[in-house]
Amino acid sequence: MIIAIDGPAASGKGTVAKRLAAHFAYPHLDTGALYRAVGLTVLRQGLDPNDAAAATEAARGLDPAIIDDPEIRSGEAGAAASKVAIVGAVREALLAFQRDFAARPPGAVLDGRDIATVICPGAERKIFVTASVEERANRRLKELLGRGEAAIYARVLADLRERDARDAGREDAPMIQAADAYLLDTTTLDADQAFAKALAFVTDGTR
Ligand code: C5P
């Protein structure tokens, strides 16, 4: 069984994905980490993440070690990720890895923006996790402060809005809820409640 989870930044999709993977003993792929790794590589080269050629080269030659670098979690790497993610050749370079990961038995959980629509359109279960942008900004602010990054709410909110618009507005594989996906709004849910709803959907299709 392939479980495809999509949604905007800080919606809770990563937590839901991790917990579903643990529950079913499936491997989990956070596909955002791939785009963050490409974005961070470009930044470290002193290049502009909007530079399509630089981004493509970084994606084609991606060093897997950078995926484990905690710095990919920074706000800067997230913004760079959504810039390199616009480039079709970058997405293409990361496609086979994601599909191979999903195809291995007994199944997998993948989370991202285009899992249900592009990477695994045949996934048995599709969930689109979302939450209000204000709630997502609160969560992201807490996370950044917890990691010792300097952050203020207004800036985090503006950055999320900008990233949402870029991710939903791009031509290639835009962030969108698949027609057959279950919409899970976590605005008023804690992690346990969100997981319980996701699990009920995956187990017996409860919406
Ligand atoms: O999920 P996360 O915030 O780590 O993703 C970082 C960025 O990577 C997103 O804003 C998006 O632009 C890009 N991304 C994507 N497709 C995916 C996963 C992430 O375009 N499947």
Side-chain angles (χ1 to χ4, degrees), residues 9 13 30-33 35-36 73 78 81-82 85 91 98 111-115 140 163 167 170:
K13 68 181 184 310
D30 162 13
T31 65
Y35 292 91
R36 286 171 176 269
R73 295 290 145 210
S82 89
R91 309 197 69 83
Q98 298 174 77
D111 75 81
R113 302 290 187 290
D114 63 339
I115 307 304
R140 183 49 54 91
R163 191 129 75 90
D167 289 347
R170 70 182 173 223

Side-chain angles (χ1 to χ4, degrees), residues 35 38 49 55 79-88 90-91 167 170 172-173:
Y35 292 91
V38 175
S82 89
K83 291 175 185 165
V84 302
I86 291 174
V87 182
V90 167
R91 309 197 69 83
D167 289 347
R170 70 182 173 223
D172 205 348

Side-chain angles (χ1 to χ4, degrees), residues 156-174:
V156 172
L157 181 66
D159 285 352
L160 277 182
R161 286 205 163 113
E162 195 186 314
R163 191 129 75 90
D164 286 354
R166 201 159 40 223
D167 289 347
R170 70 182 173 223
E171 227 166 84
D172 205 348

Side-chain angles (χ1 to χ4, degrees), residues 33-68:
L34 304 176
Y35 292 91
R36 286 171 176 269
V38 175
L40 184 60
T41 302
V42 174
L43 291 177
R44 283 187 176 162
Q45 288 167 340
L47 299 171
D48 181 354
N50 290 307
D51 176 342
T56 303
E57 196 169 317
R60 288 185 180 153
L62 191 63
D63 172 7
I66 200 169
I67 294 168
D68 298 320

Side-chain angles (χ1 to χ4, degrees), residues 70-199:
E71 222 193 298
I72 67 164
R73 295 290 145 210
S74 71
E76 252 198 317
S82 89
K83 291 175 185 165
V84 302
I86 291 174
V87 182
V90 167
R91 309 197 69 83
E92 180 72 37
L94 302 176
L95 186 74
F97 176 79
Q98 298 174 77
R99 287 214 175 126
D100 288 350
F101 187 96
R104 265 177 256 140
V109 181
L110 286 85
D111 75 81
R113 302 290 187 290
D114 63 339
I115 307 304
T117 50
V118 174
I119 306 296
C120 303
E124 284 81 358
R125 288 287 189 258
K126 300 176 177 180
I127 305 177
F128 191 86
V129 185
T130 192
S132 73
V133 70
E134 292 82 7
E135 174 58 22
R136 291 189 287 121
N138 272 323
R139 293 176 190 168
R140 183 49 54 91
L141 179 68
K142 244 195 219 166
E143 184 194 327
L144 292 172
L145 294 176
R147 274 211 320 270
E149 273 197 55
I152 54 163
Y153 177 80
R155 184 62 204 270
V156 172
L157 181 66
D159 285 352
L160 277 182
R161 286 205 163 113
E162 195 186 314
R163 191 129 75 90
D164 286 354
R166 201 159 40 223
D167 289 347
R170 70 182 173 223
E171 227 166 84
D172 205 348
M175 171 177 71
I176 187 172
Q177 181 186 346
D180 51 349
Y182 164 52
L183 179 65
L184 176 55
D185 187 332
T186 69
T187 305
T188 60
L189 304 180
D190 65 23
D192 287 341
Q193 293 168 324
F195 171 63
K197 285 193 172 236
L199 183 61

